[in-house]
Amino acid sequence: MSIPKTMRALVQQNPQSTNLTLTTVPTPQPAPNTSNEHLIRVHAVAPCAGELLWPKNFPPPVPRDTYIPGPDFAGTVVTAPSSSPFRVGDEVYARANYLRNGAASEYTISVTEEIARRPRGISAVQGTAIPLSSQTAWQALFVQAGVGDLESGNWMGKRVLVTAASGNVGRWVVQLAKIAGATVVGTAGVGNLEAVRSLGADEVLDYRSVDLKEWAAAPGAKVDVVIDCIGRKSLEDAWWAVKDGGTVLSIFQPPNTAVPEGYTGKDVKDLFFIMGPNREHLEAITKLVDEGRVTGLVDSVWPIEQFEEVFKRVEGGRARGKVVIDFALNS
């Protein structure tokens, strides 16, 4: 296929501002003699909450007036290096590395280490809902928590508490922890309790009405691992639920910044991490999707021209699933 010299893209021209502009920019090209860069025709992209603040707080190594957001995407390989396991025409998806531009554009550059073939039988829009959230959950459970990987059997008999279990990452933690053999407890709002149960959670707690300190006082209630997906008060309360010698892990803030007053637990490991795109992890998730054992969730689908509404929806905190821009739609 012919590659246009220019493309439509959302650009955050001023890192001090969260304003975006839909404009025309040069189509990116893989570096000469590259061994891992692919040009991808983007079909769909999913922004994530807070990402427009990243350039201000963590300036990316790209020209500041041409930063393109959008970390999760699905698309088609247009060009590939000869050493690549991917070929022109392959349908792929990925979480874009922050070291390069995102994919809120008609074309993007992605590297071998982060892309995987899109699961069979799902659309680009559905695929876009998967990479960031699923890899974050995978790494929290099977890399950071220190219990074991998916197939180790070490999760059998373990109890896991997931805060914000109906959220984009939480729903993946529930599904993956259950597949690994853990007993899963999730917190959610009253309107999402059944949704979390449907994902496989053994017990679901309404965070507005259940006091975790009181709940954890019951015999056998405490958990081996807390996976916190929302921080603040929920993380503070979750400390009461972990056993001595257990682990509190948060993807939102360092857990030691939210230890409740009067807490007397012993030998609890606390962890905070930021996920990194990993092809091996995404391929393992793809296999589970293909087998029908896990699923992503799309909240809504929008054309690129309505990007302002997209980001309002993403930042509003009421989306159930990923908010996706579909480049095939017209406003």
Side-chain angles (χ1 to χ4, degrees), residues 72 79 88 167 187 209 237 242 331:
D72 281 10
T79 67
V88 173
T187 69
S209 63
D237 292 344
V242 69
S331 63

Side-chain angles (χ1 to χ4, degrees), residues 73-96:
F73 71 91
T76 303
V77 176
V78 176
T79 67
S82 59
S83 59
S84 172
F86 304 99
R87 293 293 177 260
V88 173
D90 283 352
E91 299 293 331
V92 296
Y93 68 154
R95 153 73 176 185

Side-chain angles (χ1 to χ4, degrees), residues 251-268:
I251 65 169
F252 186 87
Q253 69 187 92
N256 60 14
T257 65
V259 180
E261 184 177 353
Y263 179 75
T264 58
K266 299 178 180 178
D267 301 320
V268 174

Side-chain angles (χ1 to χ4, degrees), residues 30-36:
N33 302 316
T34 180
S35 62
N36 67 347

